[in-house]
Amino acid sequence: MADLGIVPVQPTLGPDGDARPGEAVPVTATTAVPVAATTVQRAAEAAATAERRRIARELHDSVSQALFVLHRRAEVVERALDAGDETTLRAAAAGLREVSQQAIDELRAVLGDLRSAEAPAQGFGAALSALARWVRDTHELPVLVEVGADADAAVAGLGPEAARHLQRLVGEALHNTVKHARASGVLVHAAVEHGGPGRCLVVGVSDDGCGFPEPARPDPAETAAGRGHGQQTMRERARLCGGHLAVDSAAGEGTRVVVRIPLPGEGR
Ligand SMILES: Nc1ncnc2c1ncn2[C@@H]1O[C@H](COP(=O)(O)OP(=O)(O)OP(=O)(O)O)[C@@H](O)[C@H]1O
Ligand SMILES: [Mg+2]
């Protein structure tokens, strides 16, 4: 049987549906057409699934959050109209214009990233401080950011793609705090921990809000209704950085979202 020398990589879908490279299979004359066709089809399906997930993550963590802010501002406008309060109405209308411009800018940035991902313009600590400022200004929620120089360097070492995932992950955790927690404050923390099998980057977002009884696994009913994608998105981002996400919460005891990413270095 003639070996055609083509060694396609059989793609497989991991448990999360992401594309995973599998075993290379030599293609022979008798198997060439069906195997190659199946392989190409599977590769295309895996690539399409991974791409759909990427677009879903980006839309969830940008546009849907921006629309949530617009929705809240529109409610303020309505209340001011009902109350005949022209001063509040003017301020709310100006806020609406400002936030909608931010949403437009955000959408442009996402579209740019989807076309060609460039390295984030600033370091991790600076990006989180800017995010915290935005949350403070927009939602009047105090956010404290503690990012050590070692964590900043560790994120830079993981590369631009991971840096973007981590920024988005923190963004969704903060957004959840704004939306659900009724918290009086949030701490965003990033550090490199030593111990166990080696070094580990730890990024956490902790609020002192109402918490929730069950660490949220996506609820099928919520997902069907178009809600509850945040937990899944954060888990995917943590995994794509080579790490793991844990959500620690209990009713009345706040929420702590923590991602741990093993780092290369001594002891590994
Ligand atoms: N910080 C928090 N404090 C209190 N409850 C939270 C917090 N974060 C998440 N939750 C609860 O977990 C649920 C799932 O969160 P998730 O981010 O997956 O979905 P969502 O925010 O409701 O919708 P989506 O993120 O898709 O817009 C929330 O609906 C909320 O009940
Ligand atoms: Mg959410």
Side-chain angles (χ1 to χ4, degrees):
M1 199 184 301
D3 186 338
L4 301 184
I6 308 163
V7 184
V9 173
Q10 293 275 26
T12 56
L13 287 181
D16 46 19
D18 288 339
R20 301 272 160 81
E23 238 176 80
V25 176
V27 178
T28 62
T30 46
T31 61
V33 173
V35 168
T38 312
T39 302
V40 167
Q41 195 181 348
R42 283 218 203 119
E45 279 167 11
T49 300
E51 195 54 15
R52 268 201 308 275
R53 281 169 181 263
R54 180 164 90 102
I55 293 168
R57 280 193 298 272
E58 295 309 313
L59 290 181
H60 177 275
D61 289 351
S62 59
V63 181
S64 75
Q65 291 182 2
L67 290 176
F68 172 79
V69 179
L70 277 175
H71 183 84
R72 282 249 168 125
R73 290 288 154 109
E75 286 174 345
V76 176
V77 171
E78 259 176 4
R79 281 199 298 273
L81 271 174
D82 287 346
D85 177 351
E86 194 171 326
T87 313
T88 307
L89 187 58
R90 281 192 182 283
L96 211 51
R97 181 164 39 74
E98 190 188 326
V99 174
S100 55
Q101 184 59 54
Q102 286 171 0
I104 292 167
D105 294 345
E106 175 81 342
L107 180 58
R108 285 203 182 111
V110 168
L111 292 175
D113 276 354
L114 284 171
R115 285 189 180 277
S116 74
E118 285 179 14
Q122 51 191 351
F124 190 53
L128 295 193
S129 295
L131 189 57
R133 251 194 320 276
W134 184 81
V135 171
R136 271 194 300 264
D137 293 348
T138 312
H139 301 289
E140 294 171 4
L141 175 69
V143 183
L144 184 64
V145 176
E146 289 176 356
V147 178
D150 54 352
D152 225 15
V155 174
L158 290 171
E161 201 64 32
R164 196 173 293 100
H165 283 311
L166 289 171
Q167 283 176 31
R168 289 294 197 192
L169 194 156
V170 170
E172 168 61 8
L174 283 174
H175 185 63
N176 274 348
T177 298
V178 166
K179 220 160 67 158
H180 306 295
R182 301 191 301 278
S184 65
V186 197
L187 171 67
V188 178
H189 171 260
V192 173
E193 289 183 0
H194 300 256
R199 296 187 318 143
C200 187
L201 172 68
V202 181
V203 180
V205 179
S206 313
D207 70 49
D208 63 353
C210 63
F212 55 106
E214 274 288 303
R217 279 263 149 214
D219 174 346
E222 288 275 296
T223 307
R227 294 184 299 269
H229 292 284
Q231 302 291 320
Q232 189 178 351
T233 296
M234 288 192 290
R235 279 179 209 286
E236 283 178 12
R237 290 197 189 280
R239 204 163 41 226
L240 288 165
C241 293
H244 172 79
L245 184 94
V247 179
D248 208 359
S249 189
E253 296 191 10
T255 299
R256 184 166 147 77
V257 173
V258 183
V259 55
R260 288 178 180 275
I261 303 171
L263 296 171
E266 353 78 75
R268 298 194 75 221

